[in-house]
Structure formats: structure tokens, C-alpha cells
Amino acid sequence: MKDINFDHLVNLQPFLAMEIFAKASELEKQGREIIHLEFGEPDFQTPAVISKAAIQAINDAQTKYTHTQGIDSFRAAVAKIYQEKYGVNISTSRILTSSGSSILLYIAIRLLVPPGDELLFTDPSYACYKNLAYIAGVVPKTVPLRLEDGFQLDMDLLKKSITPKTKAILINSPANPTGVVFSKETYKALAELEIPIISDEIYTDLIYEGDKYSMLNFTDRCVVLNGLSKYYAMTGWRLGYFIIDEKWVKTASFLNQNLMISASEFVQKAGAAALMESESECFKMSLEFDERRKFVLKRLKEIGLDPQYNPTAAFYIFLKYPNQNVKSLDLAKDILEKANVAMTPGIDFGQGGEGFIRLSYANSMENLDKALSNLEQYFKTYG
Ligand code: PMP
């Protein structure tokens, strides 16, 4: 048989965060102590009430497939949360549950954008967006987010990027990698467009300053994507959901049935417990993230690395580094090698991320303190 060359997947790119992590692991094997600030994963353990609900469900033999949209108690919990947090009244028939928001993102793209048409999203943005567009056979188009705008979306620029082929606009507020929340005016302006919005709201529970919105506050013609990975510290459980227009549910369900059948039953039980019973514990974790955010911002300013914008959410700071002649991947590798700190090169998030490096403060205060001292030393020595 002839070798397969995988030309059809040539555009797919690996996560550079993973490359940095692999290098960090090598160094750790050699006995080096590395501080990991490259991943967007809470360092906290999943709250016990959630794990207990899963164990109980397993013991009760709730280990089967479920309705493809998810079990009633989980969907009822989602509807309740959206009522409480955003004041929107959504029917549980509009909710589709699956194994993590990543697969739902893919489903949302397949649902709204025919192959060959365009998906519009920001640059920089979460590394998956471009890759998922390629996997779905749609054309990724980007609109820049600029540091001088505080990484807010410039609606004029966005409108200029729309073509007759633009079938969906994918936004992420609060955003990975910047930690910026879009303004209310931006949500409103997006809702006024004739194009459906896919709104990735996975970080909305981690907003530390200002108001919080869901796209559902402004329009129903959207896919609101959310998941339990971040706020509930459940990355490995793989549980997410989206809320969509009633008329889109049937086709979205076909996609989920074929791709995933359903999310696992006991994980959904745990998810229902997370949404209904873990709020106080999760809120405490978010307060801790906020403490770390303030601490890191203060220290960055002290050591001459002021990010020059205000990251108010998630657990990311996107730093423009001093020597713009160095590529972000080279810098990330060099910092890892010389300062024992792992961070994600900005290029991972698109061309617009070149010249930046992403720091995730999902790590202990002690480790953050150490990392910042190491960074101070590094930039003093190497510029
Ligand atoms: N959206 C964004 C912006 C993310 O940062 C992530 C995870 N890093 C996801 C979606 C996917 O999360 P999950 O599949 O764990 O729900």
C-alpha cells in the first residue's frame, strides 16, 4: 500500500502549549523544577459534592447512554442557572448536552456553516477555532483584536470582514487568551447582525470586574456554548452543553447522536450536582483566582512587564514582551530553559498573537510568586 501523506489535514496545527509542556516534562525528568503557567486548567480539585454524586450514580448503575440532549435533571439545572445568573428564561428543550464543549463547538460549526463557507472569529483566539473550522471543511476568517483597543472587538472592522459567505460569527467573551470581557455595546451590535453568533461562554462565571452577560440577553438566534470544565474545576469529566434556537435542535441532535450518542449518565448526574450544589465552593475558587490575578498584575507592573490593558476574567494575561525581534515560540522555549517557567507562545492563538506570551494564573500563589521572581531575573538578564 502507498504511504498516506495526510495532505488533506495539512492545515491542522498542534497546540504549541503541548509542545512547551512536553519540553517542560523532559526537563522535570532531568530533575528540574518547572512552574506550569501554560495551561488553562484550574489547579483546584473538583468539589467533593460533585464527585460524591458521580460515585453515587455509578453505584446506582447509572452508567448508560442517555437522551442525546441530556438527562432531565442536568438540563433543568442549566435552565435554572441561566435564569438565576442572566435572568433569561430558556426551555430545557433548547439545551443539548455532550462530552465537553469542544465537541459542541464542532457541532455548532457544522450546524451553521456549510463546507466551503466562512466562519468569522477573532485573532487572537482559542487555538481550536481555526483547527475546528478546517476539520469541518469551512474557511476560517479572522478579525483582529488589538492591544491598543484593550482587546475589545472593533465592530467596524468586524463588519468589514463579513462577506456573503460568512455563515456564523464565533466570539469568546471572556476571551482566551486575553481574559477580556466584551462590552455590552458589542453584544448588542453583534445581536443586530443578520448572521448567527456562536458565543463561547465557558469563562463567564470567572468575571472579576464589571457586569456579565450571555448572548441570550440580546438574541435567541445564537448558539450559547458553555461547559463545566473551568468554573467547576471539571476539565477531565468532559461535560458541556449549548443552548440554541428551538428550530435548530432537531438537526443539532442528529449531529450529537452520530458523533457522541450522549454524554455519560453518571457525569451528567455529577454535573447536575455541580450546578445545584457546588456554587459556594466554586465561588470561593473564583475569589482565589481574582486574588492571584491582582497579585500577578501588581508584580508584572513592578518588574516592568505591565500588560497595558485590564484582564478582568478567566485566568489569563496576554503579555506583550519587550524584545519584539524574538518570536513568541522561541521566547517561550528560552524562558522555560533559563527561568523554569512554562508559558504559552502567543502565536498559538493566531498571527495576531505573535509578540505576546500567555500567562495562566491557574496555579498557587506560592508558585506564581516564584514564577514572577524568575521572570524578573530572566528579563533583567536577557531583556
Ligand atoms: N472554549 C475555550 C475558549 C476554551 O479555552 C476551552 C478549553 N481550553 C474550551 C472551549 C473547551 O473546553 P472543554 O472541552 O473542556 O469544555
Side-chain angles (χ1 to χ4, degrees):
M1 206 200 301
K2 255 174 58 185
D3 265 359
I4 301 171
N5 59 18
F6 300 110
D7 273 355
H8 58 297
L9 295 174
V10 73
N11 287 323
L12 280 193
Q13 278 158 13
F15 290 175
L16 296 173
M18 287 292 183
E19 195 178 312
I20 296 295
F21 176 73
K23 281 201 187 308
S25 304
E26 263 171 46
L27 293 175
E28 280 165 338
K29 271 188 208 135
Q30 295 163 21
R32 294 262 290 271
E33 218 175 282
I34 305 296
I35 304 168
H36 290 272
L37 308 183
E38 75 274 45
F39 285 136
E41 175 163 69
D43 54 315
F44 298 110
Q45 226 181 317
T46 305
V49 64
I50 302 173
S51 305
K52 274 192 196 138
I55 292 163
Q56 183 67 49
I58 291 170
N59 288 335
D60 292 346
Q62 292 175 334
T63 54
K64 308 281 190 190
Y65 298 137
T66 72
H67 187 292
T68 200
Q69 285 181 251
I71 60 173
D72 289 345
S73 63
F74 180 69
R75 284 194 277 158
V78 170
K80 190 158 185 277
I81 286 278
Y82 269 75
Q83 177 64 257
E84 282 168 11
K85 296 195 175 180
Y86 304 99
V88 289
N89 195 3
I90 48 153
S91 149
T92 54
S93 60
R94 291 175 59 193
I95 299 167
L96 191 146
T97 312
S98 202
S99 301
S101 65
S102 301
I103 186 70
L104 288 162
L105 194 51
Y106 176 69
I107 290 175
I109 297 169
R110 297 274 8 199
L111 183 69
L112 296 174
V113 193
D117 280 343
E118 295 169 3
L119 174 73
L120 183 58
F121 52 92
T122 64
D123 177 15
S125 64
Y126 177 39
C128 258
Y129 292 174
K130 189 169 71 186
N131 285 331
L132 287 179
Y134 286 132
I135 296 171
V138 315
V139 181
K141 284 279 164 117
T142 57
V143 52
L145 289 177
R146 296 172 304 206
L147 174 61
E148 53 270 34
D149 299 331
F151 291 118
Q152 285 289 332
L153 186 58
D154 179 330
M155 281 305 292
D156 291 332
L157 265 187
L158 179 113
K159 284 179 188 159
K160 280 188 200 134
S161 312
I162 293 174
T163 76
K165 287 185 151 235
T166 309
K167 296 294 153 62
I169 297 170
L170 167 56
I171 60 150
N172 178 214
S173 169
N176 179 5
T178 62
V180 162
V181 184
F182 290 160
S183 70
K184 186 177 183 183
E185 289 64 41
T186 301
Y187 280 97
K188 266 196 196 152
L190 285 166
E192 280 162 15
L193 298 172
E194 285 299 305
I195 299 165
I197 307 295
I198 302 172
S199 179
D200 180 347
E201 301 185 358
I202 195 156
Y203 295 108
T204 40
D205 283 317
L206 294 169
I207 294 179
Y208 315 110
E209 287 179 24
D211 297 326
K212 78 169 170 196
Y213 301 102
S214 164
M215 201 67 216
L216 288 167
N217 292 120
F218 304 93
T219 179
D220 278 334
R221 270 182 64 79
C222 60
V223 175
V224 161
L225 182 78
N226 212 328
L228 283 77
S229 289
K230 311 289 176 173
Y231 184 63
Y232 299 93
M234 290 178 72
T235 44
W237 294 73
R238 314 308 305 129
L239 187 62
Y241 58 90
F242 63 39
I243 302 165
I244 49 176
D245 194 301
E246 197 83 57
K247 293 195 277 307
W248 304 349
V249 170
K250 201 167 134 200
T251 314
S253 291
F254 290 165
L255 286 165
N256 195 50
Q257 269 168 13
N258 283 283
L259 288 164
M260 304 304 293
I261 303 184
S262 73
S264 54
E265 194 176 11
F266 57 90
V267 171
Q268 293 183 60
K269 281 276 175 186
L275 296 174
M276 301 318 299
E277 295 169 51
S278 74
E279 179 60 32
S280 62
E281 198 165 334
C282 293
F283 184 65
K284 265 192 229 145
M285 294 193 272
S286 76
L287 292 179
E288 176 66 27
F289 284 133
D290 190 24
E291 284 306 308
R292 295 169 184 182
R293 177 182 74 101
K294 289 178 188 149
F295 170 75
V296 173
L297 284 173
K298 183 173 115 327
R299 287 287 289 127
L300 284 172
K301 282 174 194 161
E302 281 167 9
I303 66 177
L305 290 172
D306 185 344
Q308 300 162 54
Y309 76 100
N310 191 14
T312 55
F315 22 66
Y316 306 120
I317 300 176
F318 210 43
L319 278 178
K320 185 167 181 178
Y321 48 79
N323 184 354
Q324 288 287 302
N325 295 321
V326 180
K327 295 278 178 229
S328 58
L329 180 59
D330 294 336
L331 182 72
K333 286 180 183 165
D334 203 47
I335 291 176
L336 176 63
E337 187 58 53
K338 298 189 174 115
N340 298 323
V341 180
M343 290 193 289
T344 308
I347 190 71
D348 219 7
F349 307 97
Q351 277 306 324
E354 190 50 281
F356 292 81
I357 194 152
R358 189 191 73 176
L359 179 158
S360 160
Y361 48 88
N363 206 326
S364 69
M365 208 57 126
E366 191 190 342
N367 281 340
L368 288 168
D369 191 24
K370 242 190 266 171
L372 282 151
S373 300
N374 292 6
L375 287 176
E376 178 173 24
Q377 201 52 48
Y378 175 89
F379 282 104
K380 248 191 215 159
T381 315
Y382 304 103

